[in-house]
Amino acid sequence: MLSVNLEKIFHYSFWIVAIVGFVFAADCAAAGVIIDNLDSRTSRTGTWLVSGGPDPYNANSVYSRDGDTFTWQFTPGESGVYDVSMWWTQWSSRSTSIPVTIEFSGGTDTVNINQQNNGGKWNSLGLYTFASGVTYDITITSQPGPSSTSADAVQFELTSTSTRIISATAGSNGFITPSGSVAVADGGDQGFTNTPAAGFRIFDGLVDGTSFGAVSSYTFTGVNANHSISATF
C-alpha cells in the first residue's frame, strides 16, 4: 500500500514539475531576452545614480545627465528580426528628447524617446535584424541638466528567423560599412559603403566573387540568398 502511495506521489509530482517547467519556459520565450541595468552585459560612462522613479523593471533604475552614456550589450543566439523595446522610469525632470543608438546587422539607427511619458512599461523602439553570435550595443545618452535621463532595461523579442547573411569584408587601407556577418530580412534590401583611408582610393569591389567596379556603394535588393561582398583599396 505504501509503495502504491509513493508511486502516486511521484506520478503527480512529475506532472506538476513538468507543467510548471512548461509554463516557465513558455513565459521566458514570450518575454524574450531582457537585459536590466543591473546585468553584467552593460557598461556606462560617467556617474549613474539609483533613481527614486516609480515602477522600475527590476530592483531599480539609474539616472544621469550631461552626456553620460549607458550601454546594453546584446549577443543573439539566433539570427533574425527582433522587436527592440525599452523600459524606463518616469520623473518630472526627465528629458523629452533622449537619443537611443541601436547597433544592428545593417548599421546604426538612432531613436529619440520622451521619458516624461510611458514609464514603468515596455516601449517598442522598432524592428531590427541581428546576426547570431555578434555583439551589438544599445546606448542611451543622457541630456544636459537640469533634465535627467533614466537607464533601466532593454528587451529583444525574436519576431522572425527568415533572414539571409551577407559576409562583408575589406582589404587594408580602407573599410566597408556595415562589415562582418550582416543579417538581412528575407526579401529585404541592404546597402554597403566602401571608404578608402586618406591617400588611398577604391581599387575594386566584388559581389559573390564578381567585380562590380571601383564604386563607393552597392545595394543588394530583394535578398533571398546568402551573399558576400568585399572591397580592395
Side-chain angles (χ1 to χ4, degrees):
M1 187 68 176
L2 179 60
S3 63
V4 172
N5 288 337
L6 288 174
E7 183 178 1
K8 286 183 177 180
I9 291 172
F10 174 81
H11 175 78
Y12 292 126
S13 298
F14 170 82
W15 282 107
I16 290 171
V17 170
I19 291 169
V20 170
F22 173 80
V23 171
F24 177 77
D27 183 62
C28 288
V33 176
I34 297 174
I35 305 176
D36 183 60
N37 66 285
L38 299 172
D39 199 289
S40 61
R41 295 167 292 177
T42 61
S43 62
R44 66 193 73 187
T45 64
T47 301
W48 291 80
L49 303 174
V50 174
S51 173
D55 302 317
Y57 171 73
N58 200 348
N60 61 54
S61 67
V62 292
Y63 76 95
S64 191
R65 51 176 56 97
D66 296 330
D68 293 345
T69 63
F70 195 100
T71 299
W72 297 260
Q73 291 143 348
F74 174 53
T75 306
E78 188 172 8
S79 297
V81 180
Y82 288 76
D83 184 6
V84 180
S85 55
M86 180 171 283
W87 186 298
W88 58 78
T89 55
Q90 202 168 310
W91 198 256
S92 60
S93 67
R94 295 286 190 257
S95 174
T96 58
S97 182
I98 304 170
V100 178
T101 303
I102 302 167
E103 288 185 352
F104 64 105
S105 193
T108 303
D109 190 26
T110 300
V111 177
N112 288 292
I113 60 174
N114 178 0
Q115 289 192 339
Q116 291 214 7
N117 296 322
N118 301 314
K121 68 176 187 177
W122 291 115
N123 299 276
S124 178
L125 303 180
L127 298 174
Y128 296 92
T129 305
F130 300 98
S132 173
V134 179
T135 298
Y136 301 91
D137 289 347
I138 313 299
T139 301
I140 192 168
T141 302
S142 63
Q143 296 305 284
S147 71
S148 64
T149 297
S150 166
D152 199 340
V154 177
Q155 179 173 238
F156 304 84
E157 293 182 282
L158 182 63
T159 63
S160 173
T161 56
S162 297
T163 59
R164 305 293 180 172
I165 299 296
I166 300 176
S167 176
T169 58
S172 56
N173 305 314
F175 55 91
I176 187 170
T177 307
S179 63
S181 297
V182 179
V184 183
D186 202 21
D189 301 339
Q190 178 62 55
F192 293 86
T193 302
N194 301 321
T195 306
F200 292 85
R201 61 181 177 82
I202 301 168
F203 178 73
D204 196 12
L206 299 177
V207 169
D208 299 331
T210 301
S211 173
F212 63 89
V215 298
S216 60
S217 63
Y218 184 90
T219 299
F220 292 88
T221 59
V223 176
N224 57 15
N226 296 334
H227 293 283
S228 65
I229 183 171
S230 62
T232 53
F233 305 92

